[in-house]
Amino acid sequence: MSRKIRVIVVDDSALVRSLLSEIINRQRDMECIGTANDPLVAREMIRELDPDVITLDVEMPRMDGIDFLGRLMRLRPTPVVMISTLTERGAEVTMKALELGAVDFVAKPRVGLASGLNDLAAQIVDKIRVAAVAQVRRSPARDAAPAAGSAGSAAVAHAAPAAGLLGRLSTEKLICIGASTGGTEAIKEVLVQMPADSPAIVITQHMPPGFTTSFAARLNGLCQITVKEAVNGERILPGHAYIAPGGTQFHVARSGANYVAVVDDGPPVNRHKPSVEVLFKSAAAVVGRNAFGIMLTGMGNDGAVAMREMKDAGSYNYVQDEATCIVFGMPREAIAHGAADEVLPLGQIAPALIARLRGTTDRLHHRI
Protein backbone atom coordinates (compact mmCIF):
# COMPACT_ATOMS: atom_id res chain seq x y z
CA MET A 1 0.00 0.00 0.00
CA SER A 2 1.35 3.43 -0.94
CA ARG A 3 2.16 6.01 1.68
CA LYS A 4 -0.75 8.15 2.85
CA ILE A 5 -0.93 11.89 2.16
CA ARG A 6 -0.05 13.59 5.43
CA VAL A 7 -2.10 16.73 6.12
CA ILE A 8 -1.94 19.49 8.74
CA VAL A 9 -5.10 21.56 9.29
CA VAL A 10 -4.62 25.21 10.33
CA ASP A 11 -7.81 27.03 11.38
CA ASP A 12 -8.79 29.12 14.41
CA SER A 13 -12.19 27.38 14.63
CA ALA A 14 -12.18 24.23 16.73
CA LEU A 15 -15.28 23.06 14.86
CA VAL A 16 -13.61 23.45 11.47
CA ARG A 17 -10.45 21.70 12.68
CA SER A 18 -12.54 18.80 13.94
CA LEU A 19 -14.67 18.56 10.78
CA LEU A 20 -11.72 18.74 8.41
CA SER A 21 -9.79 16.16 10.44
CA GLU A 22 -12.75 13.76 10.24
CA ILE A 23 -13.17 14.30 6.50
CA ILE A 24 -9.47 13.68 5.87
CA ASN A 25 -9.22 10.64 8.14
CA ARG A 26 -12.19 8.98 6.41
CA GLN A 27 -10.08 8.66 3.27
CA ARG A 28 -7.96 5.57 2.74
CA ASP A 29 -5.16 7.53 1.10
CA MET A 30 -4.70 10.41 3.57
CA GLU A 31 -4.45 11.24 7.25
CA CYS A 32 -4.59 14.36 9.37
CA ILE A 33 -1.31 14.33 11.29
CA GLY A 34 -1.96 17.51 13.26
CA THR A 35 -4.13 20.59 13.73
CA ALA A 36 -3.17 24.12 14.76
CA ASN A 37 -5.33 27.06 15.84
CA ASP A 38 -2.95 29.74 14.57
CA PRO A 39 0.05 30.06 12.26
CA LEU A 40 2.64 30.34 15.04
CA VAL A 41 1.61 26.97 16.43
CA ALA A 42 1.44 25.64 12.87
CA ARG A 43 4.98 26.80 12.12
CA GLU A 44 6.48 24.55 14.78
CA MET A 45 4.21 21.66 13.84
CA ILE A 46 5.24 21.92 10.17
CA ARG A 47 8.93 21.89 11.12
CA GLU A 48 8.44 18.82 13.27
CA LEU A 49 6.02 16.77 11.14
CA ASP A 50 6.93 17.80 7.55
CA PRO A 51 3.42 17.45 6.05
CA ASP A 52 2.64 16.77 2.39
CA VAL A 53 -0.24 19.27 2.33
CA ILE A 54 -1.52 22.07 4.59
CA THR A 55 -5.08 23.38 4.69
CA LEU A 56 -4.99 27.01 5.78
CA ASP A 57 -7.66 29.41 6.96
CA VAL A 58 -7.38 33.04 5.86
CA GLU A 59 -8.40 35.04 8.93
CA MET A 60 -6.70 33.92 12.14
CA PRO A 61 -5.30 35.49 15.33
CA ARG A 62 -1.65 36.59 15.81
CA MET A 63 -0.81 36.24 12.08
CA ASP A 64 -3.30 36.08 9.24
CA GLY A 65 -3.17 33.25 6.73
CA ILE A 66 -1.84 35.44 3.91
CA ASP A 67 1.19 36.65 5.87
CA PHE A 68 1.87 33.11 6.99
CA LEU A 69 1.51 31.74 3.46
CA GLY A 70 3.95 34.32 2.10
CA ARG A 71 6.57 33.35 4.68
CA LEU A 72 5.95 29.64 4.20
CA MET A 73 6.36 29.79 0.41
CA ARG A 74 9.61 31.73 0.69
CA LEU A 75 11.19 29.60 3.39
CA ARG A 76 9.63 26.13 3.20
CA PRO A 77 7.48 25.68 0.07
CA THR A 78 4.65 23.27 0.85
CA PRO A 79 1.41 22.57 -1.06
CA VAL A 80 -1.38 24.62 0.52
CA VAL A 81 -5.15 24.47 0.04
CA MET A 82 -6.77 27.67 1.32
CA ILE A 83 -10.07 27.54 3.21
CA SER A 84 -11.75 30.79 2.12
CA THR A 85 -15.00 32.43 3.16
CA LEU A 86 -17.34 33.12 0.25
CA THR A 87 -17.46 36.91 0.59
CA GLU A 88 -16.15 39.76 -1.55
CA ARG A 89 -13.19 40.22 0.79
CA GLY A 90 -12.70 36.46 0.94
CA ALA A 91 -12.50 36.34 -2.85
CA GLU A 92 -9.92 39.14 -3.00
CA VAL A 93 -7.79 37.50 -0.32
CA THR A 94 -8.05 34.15 -2.09
CA MET A 95 -6.67 35.70 -5.30
CA LYS A 96 -3.75 37.02 -3.26
CA ALA A 97 -3.18 33.55 -1.77
CA LEU A 98 -3.04 31.97 -5.22
CA GLU A 99 -0.58 34.67 -6.28
CA LEU A 100 1.63 33.79 -3.31
CA GLY A 101 1.66 30.11 -4.24
CA ALA A 102 -1.38 28.37 -2.76
CA VAL A 103 -2.30 25.44 -5.00
CA ASP A 104 -6.07 25.80 -4.70
CA PHE A 105 -8.89 26.86 -2.40
CA VAL A 106 -12.21 25.72 -1.00
CA ALA A 107 -15.03 28.23 -0.51
CA LYS A 108 -16.13 27.72 3.11
CA PRO A 109 -19.89 28.20 3.71
CA ARG A 110 -20.87 31.24 5.79
CA VAL A 111 -23.79 29.49 7.50
CA GLY A 112 -24.46 25.86 8.34
CA LEU A 113 -20.76 25.19 8.73
CA ALA A 114 -20.95 21.55 9.80
CA SER A 115 -23.38 20.43 7.08
CA GLY A 116 -21.75 22.75 4.55
CA LEU A 117 -18.24 21.37 5.02
CA ASN A 118 -19.51 17.80 4.88
CA ASP A 119 -21.29 18.62 1.62
CA LEU A 120 -17.92 19.86 0.34
CA ALA A 121 -16.03 16.79 1.56
CA ALA A 122 -15.47 15.28 -1.91
CA GLN A 123 -14.19 18.60 -3.24
CA ILE A 124 -11.90 19.11 -0.24
CA VAL A 125 -10.22 15.72 -0.50
CA ASP A 126 -9.94 15.96 -4.30
CA LYS A 127 -8.07 19.25 -3.91
CA ILE A 128 -5.81 17.79 -1.22
CA ARG A 129 -4.94 14.94 -3.60
CA VAL A 130 -4.13 17.39 -6.38
CA ALA A 131 -2.06 19.54 -4.02
CA ALA A 132 -0.06 16.50 -2.93
CA VAL A 133 1.28 16.01 -6.48
CA ALA A 134 1.56 19.70 -7.40
CA GLN A 135 4.90 21.29 -8.28
CA VAL A 136 5.27 24.02 -5.67
CA ARG A 137 8.01 26.60 -6.12
CA ARG A 138 9.77 28.85 -3.66
CA SER A 139 8.38 32.40 -3.75
CA PRO A 140 11.03 35.12 -4.01
CA ALA A 141 11.22 37.80 -1.33
CA ARG A 142 8.99 40.69 -2.33
CA ASP A 143 11.84 43.16 -2.50
CA ALA A 144 14.20 40.86 -4.41
CA ALA A 145 14.85 41.41 -8.10
CA PRO A 146 13.71 38.47 -10.25
CA ALA A 147 16.41 36.29 -11.72
CA ALA A 148 17.03 36.68 -15.44
CA GLY A 149 14.77 34.40 -17.41
CA SER A 150 12.70 33.50 -14.35
CA ALA A 151 9.26 32.11 -15.13
CA GLY A 152 7.97 32.87 -11.63
CA SER A 153 5.32 35.40 -10.68
CA ALA A 154 7.90 38.05 -9.80
CA ALA A 155 9.13 38.02 -13.39
CA VAL A 156 5.58 38.30 -14.64
CA ALA A 157 5.06 41.65 -12.99
CA HIS A 158 7.98 43.03 -14.99
CA ALA A 159 7.07 41.47 -18.36
CA ALA A 160 6.74 44.22 -20.95
CA PRO A 161 3.66 43.96 -23.17
CA ALA A 162 4.44 43.91 -26.87
CA ALA A 163 3.98 47.01 -28.98
CA GLY A 164 0.85 47.28 -31.11
CA LEU A 165 0.82 44.70 -33.85
CA LEU A 166 -2.38 43.85 -35.62
CA GLY A 167 -4.76 46.53 -36.86
CA ARG A 168 -7.84 45.15 -38.57
CA LEU A 169 -6.67 41.53 -38.40
CA SER A 170 -7.38 41.52 -34.68
CA THR A 171 -11.14 41.50 -35.30
CA GLU A 172 -10.95 38.17 -37.13
CA LYS A 173 -8.83 36.20 -34.67
CA LEU A 174 -9.89 34.79 -31.29
CA ILE A 175 -7.56 33.45 -28.57
CA CYS A 176 -9.07 30.73 -26.35
CA ILE A 177 -7.47 29.83 -23.01
CA GLY A 178 -8.31 26.92 -20.70
CA ALA A 179 -6.86 26.31 -17.24
CA SER A 180 -7.55 24.78 -13.85
CA THR A 181 -5.27 24.21 -10.83
CA GLY A 182 -2.50 26.81 -10.88
CA GLY A 183 -4.23 28.61 -13.72
CA THR A 184 -4.87 32.00 -12.15
CA GLU A 185 -1.18 32.88 -12.14
CA ALA A 186 -0.54 31.17 -15.49
CA ILE A 187 -3.33 33.17 -17.13
CA LYS A 188 -1.89 36.34 -15.63
CA GLU A 189 1.51 35.60 -17.15
CA VAL A 190 0.00 35.26 -20.61
CA LEU A 191 -2.31 38.28 -20.40
CA VAL A 192 0.19 40.81 -19.04
CA GLN A 193 2.30 40.28 -22.14
CA MET A 194 -0.51 40.93 -24.62
CA PRO A 195 -0.62 44.34 -26.33
CA ALA A 196 -3.59 46.70 -26.18
CA ASP A 197 -4.64 45.80 -29.74
CA SER A 198 -4.55 42.06 -29.12
CA PRO A 199 -7.27 39.91 -30.65
CA ALA A 200 -10.12 39.17 -28.26
CA ILE A 201 -9.34 36.52 -25.65
CA VAL A 202 -11.89 34.16 -24.08
CA ILE A 203 -10.97 32.23 -20.94
CA THR A 204 -12.33 29.35 -18.92
CA GLN A 205 -10.65 28.88 -15.56
CA HIS A 206 -12.24 26.33 -13.24
CA MET A 207 -13.57 28.51 -10.43
CA PRO A 208 -16.74 28.57 -8.29
CA PRO A 209 -19.27 31.43 -8.21
CA GLY A 210 -18.17 34.56 -6.37
CA PHE A 211 -14.46 34.47 -7.21
CA THR A 212 -14.18 35.31 -10.91
CA THR A 213 -15.24 38.94 -10.33
CA SER A 214 -12.18 39.55 -8.14
CA PHE A 215 -10.00 37.54 -10.52
CA ALA A 216 -11.05 39.66 -13.50
CA ALA A 217 -10.67 42.93 -11.59
CA ARG A 218 -7.17 41.98 -10.44
CA LEU A 219 -6.07 41.12 -13.98
CA ASN A 220 -7.66 44.27 -15.40
CA GLY A 221 -5.43 46.35 -13.14
CA LEU A 222 -2.30 44.59 -14.41
CA CYS A 223 -2.88 44.34 -18.16
CA GLN A 224 -2.89 46.66 -21.17
CA ILE A 225 -5.98 44.87 -22.45
CA THR A 226 -9.34 45.19 -20.68
CA VAL A 227 -10.19 42.10 -18.59
CA LYS A 228 -13.75 41.43 -17.44
CA GLU A 229 -16.25 38.70 -16.65
CA ALA A 230 -18.18 37.63 -19.71
CA VAL A 231 -21.79 38.83 -19.95
CA ASN A 232 -24.37 36.89 -21.95
CA GLY A 233 -25.02 38.42 -25.36
CA GLU A 234 -22.20 40.98 -25.36
CA ARG A 235 -20.04 41.48 -28.41
CA ILE A 236 -16.52 40.06 -28.05
CA LEU A 237 -14.10 42.87 -28.90
CA PRO A 238 -10.37 43.06 -29.71
CA GLY A 239 -8.25 44.37 -26.87
CA HIS A 240 -10.48 42.60 -24.34
CA ALA A 241 -10.29 39.35 -22.38
CA TYR A 242 -13.50 37.69 -21.17
CA ILE A 243 -13.49 35.27 -18.23
CA ALA A 244 -16.21 32.65 -17.76
CA PRO A 245 -18.19 33.60 -14.62
CA GLY A 246 -17.83 30.92 -11.93
CA GLY A 247 -20.66 28.41 -11.86
CA THR A 248 -21.78 29.02 -15.48
CA GLN A 249 -20.98 27.66 -18.91
CA PHE A 250 -19.35 30.03 -21.41
CA HIS A 251 -19.08 29.63 -25.14
CA VAL A 252 -18.81 31.81 -28.23
CA ALA A 253 -21.32 32.31 -31.02
CA ARG A 254 -21.40 34.41 -34.16
CA SER A 255 -23.80 37.23 -34.95
CA GLY A 256 -23.13 38.43 -38.48
CA ALA A 257 -19.47 39.42 -38.62
CA ASN A 258 -19.13 39.57 -34.84
CA TYR A 259 -18.34 37.06 -32.10
CA VAL A 260 -20.68 37.20 -29.11
CA ALA A 261 -20.48 35.71 -25.62
CA VAL A 262 -22.99 33.10 -24.52
CA VAL A 263 -23.17 32.59 -20.74
CA ASP A 264 -25.78 30.14 -19.50
CA ASP A 265 -26.74 27.70 -16.77
CA GLY A 266 -25.83 24.61 -18.75
CA PRO A 267 -25.02 21.36 -16.95
CA PRO A 268 -21.49 20.49 -15.79
CA VAL A 269 -19.26 18.98 -18.48
CA ASN A 270 -16.39 16.73 -17.38
CA ARG A 271 -17.69 17.58 -13.86
CA HIS A 272 -16.87 21.27 -14.45
CA LYS A 273 -18.95 24.42 -14.65
CA PRO A 274 -17.43 26.37 -16.34
CA SER A 275 -15.84 23.75 -18.58
CA VAL A 276 -12.96 24.25 -21.00
CA GLU A 277 -14.58 21.62 -23.24
CA VAL A 278 -17.64 23.84 -23.75
CA LEU A 279 -15.60 26.91 -24.73
CA PHE A 280 -13.14 25.07 -26.98
CA LYS A 281 -15.87 23.09 -28.74
CA SER A 282 -17.67 26.33 -29.62
CA ALA A 283 -14.40 27.79 -30.94
CA ALA A 284 -13.93 24.75 -33.18
CA ALA A 285 -17.43 25.18 -34.60
CA VAL A 286 -17.62 28.98 -34.82
CA VAL A 287 -14.07 30.34 -35.16
CA GLY A 288 -12.24 27.55 -37.00
CA ARG A 289 -8.89 28.56 -38.54
CA ASN A 290 -9.10 32.03 -36.98
CA ALA A 291 -8.76 30.55 -33.48
CA PHE A 292 -5.70 30.09 -31.30
CA GLY A 293 -5.94 27.61 -28.43
CA ILE A 294 -3.89 27.76 -25.23
CA MET A 295 -4.03 24.96 -22.63
CA LEU A 296 -2.48 25.82 -19.29
CA THR A 297 -1.83 24.01 -16.00
CA GLY A 298 -4.63 21.95 -14.47
CA MET A 299 -5.70 18.55 -13.18
CA GLY A 300 -7.77 16.19 -15.32
CA ASN A 301 -8.65 16.11 -19.01
CA ASP A 302 -11.20 18.91 -19.45
CA GLY A 303 -10.87 20.48 -22.88
CA ALA A 304 -8.44 17.98 -24.44
CA VAL A 305 -10.94 16.46 -26.88
CA ALA A 306 -12.34 19.85 -27.89
CA MET A 307 -8.85 21.29 -28.35
CA ARG A 308 -8.19 18.53 -30.88
CA GLU A 309 -11.46 19.52 -32.57
CA MET A 310 -10.14 23.10 -32.71
CA LYS A 311 -6.93 21.88 -34.36
CA ASP A 312 -8.87 19.77 -36.86
CA ALA A 313 -10.91 22.90 -37.69
CA GLY A 314 -7.69 24.83 -38.43
CA SER A 315 -6.69 26.49 -35.15
CA TYR A 316 -3.07 26.83 -33.99
CA ASN A 317 -2.61 25.54 -30.44
CA TYR A 318 -0.11 26.13 -27.64
CA VAL A 319 0.23 23.84 -24.62
CA GLN A 320 2.16 24.61 -21.43
CA ASP A 321 5.09 22.27 -20.78
CA GLU A 322 5.39 20.01 -17.75
CA ALA A 323 8.32 21.83 -16.16
CA THR A 324 6.36 25.06 -15.68
CA CYS A 325 2.96 23.54 -14.78
CA ILE A 326 1.71 23.36 -11.22
CA VAL A 327 -0.25 20.29 -12.39
CA PHE A 328 0.42 18.77 -15.83
CA GLY A 329 -2.87 16.87 -16.19
CA MET A 330 -4.82 18.97 -18.71
CA PRO A 331 -1.78 19.85 -20.85
CA ARG A 332 -0.68 16.19 -20.86
CA GLU A 333 -4.12 15.09 -22.08
CA ALA A 334 -4.17 17.76 -24.79
CA ILE A 335 -0.79 16.54 -26.03
CA ALA A 336 -1.96 12.90 -25.89
CA HIS A 337 -4.97 13.80 -28.06
CA GLY A 338 -2.69 15.36 -30.68
CA ALA A 339 -4.08 18.84 -30.02
CA ALA A 340 -0.77 20.70 -29.57
CA ASP A 341 1.09 22.53 -32.32
CA GLU A 342 3.70 23.76 -29.84
CA VAL A 343 4.53 22.74 -26.26
CA LEU A 344 6.27 25.64 -24.53
CA PRO A 345 7.32 26.91 -21.10
CA LEU A 346 4.69 29.27 -19.71
CA GLY A 347 6.78 32.40 -20.18
CA GLN A 348 7.26 31.66 -23.90
CA ILE A 349 3.62 31.14 -24.88
CA ALA A 350 2.60 34.81 -25.26
CA PRO A 351 5.78 35.81 -27.16
CA ALA A 352 5.33 32.85 -29.53
CA LEU A 353 1.69 33.75 -30.11
CA ILE A 354 2.52 37.42 -30.71
CA ALA A 355 5.29 36.49 -33.16
CA ARG A 356 2.87 34.28 -35.07
CA LEU A 357 0.23 37.02 -35.16
CA ARG A 358 2.83 39.51 -36.41
CA GLY A 359 3.82 37.08 -39.13
CA THR A 360 0.19 36.73 -40.17
CA THR A 361 -0.13 40.52 -40.26
CA ASP A 362 3.03 40.85 -42.37
CA ARG A 363 1.74 38.27 -44.85
CA LEU A 364 -1.57 40.10 -45.08
CA HIS A 365 0.16 43.41 -45.77
CA HIS A 366 2.27 41.83 -48.53
CA ARG A 367 -0.90 40.67 -50.27
CA ILE A 368 -2.51 44.12 -50.14
Side-chain angles (χ1 to χ4, degrees):
M1 182 177 175
S2 59
R3 177 176 171 272
K4 290 185 176 183
I5 301 166
R6 304 165 71 252
V7 186
I8 286 178
V9 173
V10 186
D11 199 294
D12 65 338
S13 164
L15 175 60
V16 171
R17 294 196 303 274
S18 174
L19 290 168
L20 288 176
S21 298
E22 290 176 12
I23 289 167
I24 291 164
N25 287 329
R26 285 201 299 264
Q27 312 307 309
R28 292 183 176 183
D29 60 340
M30 63 184 68
E31 60 180 333
C32 179
I33 59 170
T35 65
N37 64 352
D38 73 46
L40 300 185
V41 174
R43 184 172 59 191
E44 299 306 315
M45 190 174 289
I46 292 164
R47 285 175 181 162
E48 180 183 346
L49 299 177
D50 191 25
D52 300 308
V53 178
I54 299 164
T55 72
L56 180 61
D57 189 15
V58 172
E59 297 183 359
M60 289 180 292
R62 297 212 283 174
M63 181 190 298
D64 71 32
I66 294 298
D67 286 344
F68 177 66
L69 177 65
R71 297 183 188 193
L72 179 71
M73 299 311 291
R74 286 196 302 274
L75 302 174
R76 191 190 184 99
T78 306
V80 172
V81 176
M82 300 300 295
I83 306 295
S84 307
T85 305
L86 188 55
T87 62
E88 184 175 345
R89 168 170 158 69
E92 291 170 357
V93 172
T94 299
M95 292 303 105
K96 181 63 177 175
L98 295 172
E99 180 182 354
L100 289 172
V103 173
D104 211 332
F105 68 95
V106 176
K108 183 165 57 177
R110 298 175 65 183
V111 295
L113 196 56
S115 60
L117 276 180
N118 277 310
D119 289 343
L120 293 168
Q123 182 184 140
I124 291 166
V125 296
D126 279 351
K127 293 190 175 187
I128 289 172
R129 290 186 184 104
V130 172
V133 298
Q135 297 189 84
V136 178
R137 296 171 181 85
R138 186 179 304 275
S139 293
R142 292 182 186 176
D143 56 352
S150 169
S153 59
V156 175
H158 297 86
L165 54 99
L166 292 175
R168 69 184 181 87
L169 182 68
S170 67
T171 63
E172 303 169 9
K173 302 297 184 182
L174 189 67
I175 300 164
C176 307
I177 300 177
S180 185
T181 311
T184 56
E185 289 305 291
I187 289 168
K188 180 180 81 172
E189 176 148 358
V190 173
L191 295 192
V192 295
Q193 298 182 69
M194 299 306 293
D197 66 345
S198 165
I201 302 172
V202 289
I203 301 165
T204 291
Q205 159 73 45
H206 295 161
M207 198 171 279
F211 288 85
T212 40
T213 302
S214 289
F215 180 40
R218 174 170 162 265
L219 290 176
N220 190 53
L222 296 171
C223 298
Q224 284 201 4
I225 59 174
T226 298
V227 185
K228 65 189 296 294
E229 277 189 310
V231 175
N232 186 50
E234 72 180 322
R235 183 180 168 192
I236 294 174
L237 298 170
H240 290 64
Y242 302 85
I243 297 174
T248 69
Q249 294 295 10
F250 174 38
H251 60 276
V252 295
R254 188 180 282 278
S255 177
N258 301 317
Y259 300 123
V260 295
V262 180
V263 178
D264 59 35
D265 193 32
V269 174
N270 297 329
R271 299 194 307 149
H272 295 292
K273 187 176 177 179
S275 164
V276 179
E277 191 80 10
V278 170
L279 179 62
F280 282 11
K281 188 174 284 287
S282 71
V286 172
V287 188
R289 62 185 178 81
N290 282 318
F292 292 88
I294 300 176
M295 186 73 84
L296 301 176
T297 175
M299 176 60 80
N301 63 358
D302 187 35
V305 172
M307 193 178 207
R308 178 55 195 256
E309 292 178 14
M310 287 178 65
K311 182 174 169 62
D312 290 343
S315 73
Y316 195 88
N317 297 337
Y318 300 89
V319 174
Q320 185 178 353
D321 73 351
E322 183 172 9
T324 60
C325 280
I326 300 297
V327 180
F328 190 51
M330 286 165 53
R332 178 190 288 116
E333 289 297 317
I335 294 166
H337 280 79
D341 289 290
E342 295 186 51
V343 179
L344 296 172
L346 176 60
Q348 294 180 23
I349 290 174
L353 171 60
I354 291 165
R356 191 167 188 86
L357 287 165
R358 281 202 174 116
T360 303
T361 306
D362 291 344
R363 289 192 297 273
L364 178 67
H365 288 164
H366 285 310
R367 292 201 301 267
I368 294 174

